[in-house]
Amino acid sequence: MRNVAMMFGAISCCALSACSPSGGERIDSNLECAALISAANALVISGKAENDPGLAKRALVSSMTYLAAYAIPKGIKEAEAFEQVKSLRATLIESLTPVDIMSRARRCADRSPR
């Protein structure tokens, strides 16, 4: 269990260092990035957006990296963090176009550590 906590701590540090502005783009928070990547996946599964192979390849690791970077410093439990992602994902799907979600999710995945 200690190794898992150390791994999430290291991932969090990497994710936090990866979130810097580039070219005046809007920078999404760690929670937003986790929710955007989840929303992009949901859109692809439902057929509302085309699959992005690059995003699909990195989606799980990137999403979990952002979620850990959000939850660990705040002391948020895993179940609560996942509920927050699900809630924000639903809001994003209702309020943004699939193109916007896919674009922002890809930008998040590209910024996460490799």
Side-chain angles (χ1 to χ4, degrees):
M1 185 67 177
R2 183 170 182 220
N3 289 337
V4 172
M6 288 175 50
M7 180 182 73
F8 279 120
I11 289 172
S12 297
C13 291
C14 291
L16 291 172
S17 67
C19 296
S20 60
S22 61
E25 294 176 346
R26 179 186 188 285
I27 300 300
D28 295 302
S29 72
N30 290 322
L31 179 61
E32 287 174 319
C33 278
L36 283 163
I37 293 168
S38 179
N41 186 54
L43 290 173
V44 169
I45 289 171
S46 69
K48 295 179 182 176
E50 286 192 38
N51 186 39
D52 178 336
L55 176 59
K57 182 177 180 182
R58 302 201 54 217
L60 179 60
V61 172
S62 293
S63 180
M64 291 306 296
T65 299
Y66 282 115
L67 187 58
Y70 166 73
I72 290 172
K74 295 179 188 305
I76 298 172
K77 303 257 186 227
E78 181 181 359
E80 182 183 347
F82 278 114
E83 283 303 315
Q84 290 180 19
V85 167
K86 288 179 192 177
S87 175
L88 183 53
R89 175 184 66 201
T91 301
L92 291 169
I93 289 173
E94 290 174 8
S95 63
L96 299 175
T97 66
V99 171
D100 288 338
I101 290 172
M102 295 301 289
S103 173
R104 287 174 60 187
R106 178 59 188 208
R107 194 166 52 232
C108 286
D110 288 346
R111 281 195 341 253
S112 69
R114 295 196 183 259

